[in-house]
Amino acid sequence: MASNEEGSIGTSLHGVTAREQVFSFSVDSSSQTLQSDDPTAKFTLPVDSEHRAKVFKPLSFAKPHMRAFHLGWISFFTCFISTFAAAPLVPIIRDNLDLTKTDVGNAGVASVSGAIFSRLAMGAVCDLLGARYGTAFSLMLTAPTVFSMSFVTGPVGYLAVRFMIGFCLATFVSCQYWTSVMFNGKIIGLVNGCAGGWGDMGGGVTQLLMPMVFQVIRLAGATPFMAWRIAFFIPGFLQVVVGVLVLTLGQDLPDGNLSTLQKSGQVSKDKFSKVFWFAVKNYRTWILFVLYGFSMGIELTINNVISGYFFDRFNLKLQTAGIVAASFGMANFFARPFGGYASDLAARLFGMRGRLWILWIFQTVGALFCIWLGRASSLPIAILAMMLFSVGTQAACGALFGVAPFVSRRSLGLISGLTGAGGNFGSGLTQLLFFSTSRFSTADGLSLMGAMAVLCTVPVAFIHFPQWGSMFLRPSSDGERSKEEYYYSSEWTEEEKRQGLHEGSIKFAENSRSERSRKVALADFPTPETRTPTHV
Amino acid sequence: MAIHKSLFASLLICLLFQISHGATKERLFSDLEKGALEVTAKPSRESVLDAGIDKLSITWKLSSTATKEAEFTTIKVKLCYAPVSQVDRPWRKTENELFKDKSCPHKIITRAYDKSPQSFEYTLERDIPTGTYFVRAYAVDAKDHEVAFGQSTDEAKSTNLFSVQAISGRHKSLDIASVCFSVFSVLALLVFFVNEKRKAKIEQSK
């Protein structure tokens, strides 16, 4: 039964690598203790005690884990396409609707503001109805708003429609929530990074897609002022199609759909007020809110302004400006997963402290390159600065979602929602401050935004976990508070603990021991209090 | 290290491009000979003109004060924004450097230079945005550099301006298609939702 891998019982190194299994119900591919009716046997990928996949195989579409991953990121990708579909076409739209710079800027703010509320709501919807319906609601209820661009005649209508389309960015929360319940904590940085990054790519793809679609429609004979309206049907279509796919092919949880599991009593329904309270009470939520506002926030702002910036400042053609702008968003394909992966790697070496440092480094470096982008007056330098800026900022986004799943177990959905909302809030704020008036040129606006981002990344130093430490402080030496179980079960009242409602959090706490640094794991031989290990 | 070297090399190349490119872009609007051409632009009716429908009668001829006539090879007639249409719209800004100037983006006609007075009947294109305009004719030499110009308004750009109303870009067929697809989207979602709730209830009652 004992495999030859380092760390299994029988070798004198047991406990050293901190990767041994200390819980009784996980599946190891070499273990022979499977019973024929073991529920974990039906999964294609190896899973942990919560039936979350421990391995990430991006090329697979296996039910339920990888399928959820792909549906999640594709939904999010589609929403990004819709939300920023107007941006590369602004030079045409501003002529059709007689917009001023203020109108364009305000619509940009509106396009990201709607999602502040919808992302908050989405967190709750996911906790209560499941990720599938969260995603489908977002996609299929905002598709009408995308189609309604055909009715717009002036700045007010334009702003209203962009505001309503922006609601669909809530799919970010449902996507991250979905992956967080499907994948184990050790790989969650990479998985969330890939899902978030490939979804964010939509903001880049739209800068290429919309001018191309516009061009094709014009070649088919439409005037420019009608062609851009027809072009909006493409993102609308995509949303409906993907929404249907999510509902037919997806599954809320590894064990089934939420409504079925709830009715059969396997998953207990939680109270929204409790979920909300514990999310809001945790100060780390708010620091993540600000941080994300200046990584994803400036990324969203750039999606809105960068195409117009290159079109106006460097006199590029609409399609060329679109290609340059697209490279910003497309860098997400590898930059955000890289950030998540770097976070996971840092966690393996230094635990949670490593994750926090990586986050700070990426975000600050990205912001510094943003300052440079505003200063660049020649096209090649501007493109170079923009690419470096995009990698830094997007990696920071990935790294942040390597930290977020550990802030709370009970309120995971709402915290994803609040953090996501922070991203939109940051975007709305920066667009309002720097890109909606003629006070600053767009170039100056970019540099000022970068400077503000450097400042607003400093709060990451204040995130402290008693069981794992923070950037500058060690973990608590108190015997009780230094345990993961203490942190996660403190989200439940004594009454709820007596009812056993916190069992999920305890399982999660055990699985999260991976966030201790290697040095701590060496000194600590985990002794599970409530279960006996199978290896005894 | 190799990465540092290649980054530095590419930066150097970029800088070189920048320097070489910059040298040729110094032609200024203020260097052009003013009023070398007498330009008139008469709208087909007195009220706001409709893009795609209304016309402008444009004429241009050599002014008696012109001095650089020998260099004229082509005349480029353009539609330009009046100052009121440039407010809070930096993409239409007037700049002295000719390559940066964005105030005259709409081409009307380009003709070889002829000593005799010229005229042209221009139908406003359907992509002309709403705004207030005047007409300017640039006299261009053999190297495709502007040497002189004339415009239908005065130097302050305040007289003889005309207003254009753009097409809306909307169409009934678009509106109908939009409504149909929207209804389909919402209905499809509702159908799925209701269906699944029913199935879950059946499961529970089993």
Side-chain angles (χ1 to χ4, degrees):
Chain A
M1 186 194 76
S3 63
N4 285 327
E5 66 180 13
E6 203 186 327
S8 61
I9 205 114
T11 70
S12 58
L13 294 173
H14 183 73
V16 166
T17 63
R19 283 187 221 154
E20 308 69 58
Q21 317 193 0
V22 293
F23 25 85
S24 39
F25 298 121
S26 63
V27 170
D28 179 71
S29 47
S30 60
S31 158
Q32 300 297 306
T33 53
L34 288 176
Q35 299 157 308
S36 54
D37 59 349
D38 185 339
T40 63
K42 69 179 191 241
F43 295 116
T44 324
L45 301 173
V47 297
D48 65 12
S49 62
E50 293 176 285
H51 295 177
R52 296 190 298 172
K54 293 198 291 187
V55 161
F56 176 54
K57 287 209 178 117
L59 296 175
S60 145
F61 279 85
K63 266 171 80 145
H65 307 99
M66 288 319 303
R67 209 178 270 197
F69 169 77
H70 286 295
L71 287 170
W73 80 260
I74 290 176
S75 316
F76 184 40
F77 177 84
T78 309
C79 288
F80 250 78
I81 292 185
S82 304
T83 306
F84 296 104
L89 297 178
V90 158
I92 311 292
I93 302 177
R94 67 190 179 197
D95 279 345
N96 186 191
L97 305 178
D98 200 22
L99 305 176
T100 61
K101 180 171 184 182
T102 313
D103 293 329
V104 175
N106 286 343
V109 175
S111 69
V112 295
S113 307
I116 294 176
F117 309 105
S118 65
R119 282 183 172 191
L120 289 174
M122 182 57 78
V125 169
C126 284
D127 280 328
L128 303 168
L129 288 182
R132 241 175 8 122
Y133 273 110
T135 310
F137 274 25
S138 185
L139 285 168
M140 294 170 92
L141 291 180
T142 53
T145 63
V146 179
F147 292 125
S148 63
M149 266 295 190
S150 40
F151 296 106
V152 167
T153 49
V156 173
Y158 179 62
L159 188 139
V161 170
R162 282 207 77 182
F163 177 69
M164 291 192 295
I165 296 179
F167 281 123
C168 73
L169 284 183
T171 32
F172 167 71
V173 174
S174 61
C175 168
Q176 298 277 297
Y177 182 91
W178 213 356
T179 50
S180 299
V181 301
M182 288 284 181
F183 291 90
N184 176 271
K186 282 197 204 139
I187 52 171
I188 198 63
L190 179 63
V191 176
N192 275 347
C194 284
W198 298 352
D200 289 347
M201 252 196 336
V205 167
T206 198
Q207 318 268 1
L208 271 179
L209 180 71
M210 296 305 282
M212 243 179 7
V213 170
F214 172 75
Q215 194 60 13
V216 167
I217 297 175
R218 280 210 57 202
L219 288 173
T223 56
F225 291 174
M226 196 161 129
W228 74 266
R229 294 167 192 273
I230 302 176
F232 265 83
F233 276 75
I234 304 296
F237 266 140
L238 279 174
Q239 277 190 225
V240 176
V241 167
V242 175
V244 170
L245 284 176
V246 164
L247 288 173
T248 48
L249 298 178
Q251 193 176 304
D252 289 318
L253 296 165
D255 294 321
N257 279 325
L258 192 64
S259 51
T260 331
L261 293 175
Q262 276 172 348
K263 295 248 188 289
S264 63
Q266 282 177 15
V267 173
S268 54
K269 269 190 184 182
D270 204 349
K271 276 212 293 221
F272 176 70
S273 53
K274 285 280 161 78
V275 168
F276 184 76
W277 173 240
F278 283 110
V280 161
K281 201 170 76 134
N282 197 331
Y283 74 93
R284 300 171 194 83
T285 309
W286 300 107
I287 298 185
L288 290 185
F289 182 92
V290 169
L291 279 172
Y292 205 54
F294 287 91
S295 56
M296 175 51 91
I298 55 180
E299 192 185 325
L300 295 175
T301 299
I302 293 286
N303 278 337
N304 263 336
V305 309
I306 198 75
S307 182
Y309 177 65
F310 278 101
F311 182 86
D312 290 331
R313 182 158 188 196
F314 297 103
N315 291 314
L316 301 179
K317 286 208 295 266
L318 200 73
Q319 282 85 352
T320 318
I323 292 174
V324 174
S327 358
F328 177 84
M330 303 279 255
N332 260 305
F333 179 73
F334 63 88
R336 189 162 169 154
F338 168 68
Y341 176 71
S343 181
D344 286 340
L345 190 62
R348 253 184 277 158
L349 297 172
F350 305 110
M352 176 56 69
R353 297 180 76 182
R355 288 193 194 268
L356 295 169
W357 270 101
I358 284 283
L359 174 54
W360 181 83
I361 290 170
F362 280 144
Q363 195 154 321
T364 307
V365 165
L368 291 172
F369 282 120
C370 183
I371 300 177
W372 191 26
L373 171 62
R375 303 284 93 233
S377 50
S378 83
L379 184 62
I381 305 239
I383 295 180
L384 178 69
M386 185 192 77
M387 292 312 299
L388 293 169
F389 160 41
S390 70
V391 172
T393 305
Q394 289 158 10
C397 293
L400 189 145
F401 274 90
V403 172
F406 295 101
V407 169
S408 161
R409 174 62 184 84
R410 188 173 188 181
S411 313
L412 172 66
L414 201 55
I415 295 208
S416 277
L418 278 168
T419 309
N424 286 69
F425 176 77
S427 179
L429 184 68
T430 49
Q431 283 183 83
L432 198 62
L433 288 176
F434 305 122
F435 300 102
S436 294
T437 61
S438 299
R439 196 158 152 221
F440 308 113
S441 67
T442 310
D444 286 337
L446 288 168
S447 297
L448 287 168
M449 182 169 76
M452 191 171 174
V454 173
L455 282 172
C456 292
T457 306
V458 170
V460 74
F462 298 110
I463 296 184
H464 180 82
F465 289 92
Q467 68 273 31
W468 299 318
S470 66
M471 268 170 80
F472 297 108
L473 297 172
R474 296 237 189 92
S476 161
S477 46
D478 178 85
E480 220 203 314
R481 285 168 55 80
S482 64
K483 293 232 165 30
E484 288 82 359
E485 281 81 358
Y486 178 80
Y487 179 82
Y488 289 110
S489 48
S490 62
E491 291 182 314
W492 302 86
T493 62
E494 283 311 313
E495 173 62 41
E496 288 165 334
K497 278 193 233 184
R498 251 175 284 139
Q499 291 176 27
L501 292 172
H502 69 306
E503 289 293 306
S505 290
I506 297 291
K507 268 196 223 154
F508 182 78
E510 286 171 351
N511 287 331
S512 71
R513 258 197 260 286
S514 52
E515 297 309 302
R516 298 189 181 190
S517 68
R518 235 197 224 156
K519 276 196 284 186
V520 175
L522 274 173
D524 179 76
F525 275 43
T527 50
E529 298 92 32
T530 52
R531 302 153 217 267
T532 50
T534 47
H535 300 296
V536 168
Chain B
M1 253 341 268
I3 298 177
H4 288 297
K5 284 201 186 130
S6 50
L7 257 173
F8 183 68
S10 51
L11 259 153
L12 211 57
I13 295 172
C14 295
L15 259 133
L16 284 170
F17 266 129
Q18 154 77 335
I19 294 168
S20 60
H21 224 233
T24 55
K25 284 193 184 147
E26 296 297 319
R27 288 180 296 126
L28 301 173
F29 182 73
S30 45
D31 291 340
L32 300 184
E33 192 188 348
K34 287 193 260 280
L37 297 163
E38 275 171 26
V39 182
T40 65
K42 196 165 169 304
S44 56
R45 56 191 178 113
E46 276 316 307
S47 54
V48 174
L49 305 170
D50 285 323
I53 303 173
D54 288 322
K55 300 193 211 301
L56 283 175
S57 270
I58 302 171
T59 66
W60 63 95
K61 65 173 197 244
L62 190 65
S63 152
S64 44
T65 57
T67 53
K68 291 194 189 161
E69 198 224 330
E71 295 171 48
F72 295 3
T73 31
T74 325
I75 304 291
K76 289 187 182 166
V77 186
K78 294 191 179 167
L79 197 62
C80 306
Y81 293 109
V84 64
S85 285
Q86 292 174 300
V87 171
D88 204 12
R89 292 182 173 91
W91 56 87
R92 294 179 183 172
K93 210 163 157 209
T94 304
E95 298 269 7
N96 204 12
E97 284 158 299
L98 282 168
F99 81 99
K100 272 195 194 169
D101 180 50
K102 303 232 175 95
S103 58
C104 297
H106 305 287
K107 295 196 177 78
I108 294 177
I109 185 136
T110 300
R111 261 195 209 160
Y113 171 65
D114 194 315
K115 277 194 170 47
S116 56
Q118 300 288 303
S119 68
F120 180 66
E121 190 86 351
Y122 172 63
T123 309
L124 290 159
E125 301 274 349
R126 283 194 289 171
D127 62 353
I128 304 287
T130 303
T132 311
Y133 298 85
F134 62 94
V135 173
R136 181 180 287 165
Y138 284 104
V140 171
D141 69 10
K143 282 183 282 170
D144 205 28
H145 291 175
E146 291 86 350
V147 291
F149 74 94
Q151 57 196 27
S152 64
T153 181
D154 61 359
E155 199 156 329
K157 297 188 235 173
S158 53
T159 58
N160 288 336
L161 304 170
F162 52 92
S163 292
V164 176
Q165 175 65 39
I167 61 166
S168 77
R170 287 185 56 189
H171 199 266
K172 213 190 245 174
S173 57
L174 272 187
D175 295 347
I176 295 175
S178 176
V179 170
C180 287
F181 289 125
S182 306
V183 166
F184 171 75
S185 179
V186 177
L187 269 182
L189 178 68
L190 279 175
V191 163
F192 268 105
F193 192 67
V194 166
N195 231 10
E196 237 179 73
K197 286 280 169 200
R198 256 194 316 127
K199 267 193 232 164
K201 271 213 191 100
I202 294 170
E203 278 278 324
Q204 191 194 22
S205 62
K206 274 200 192 145

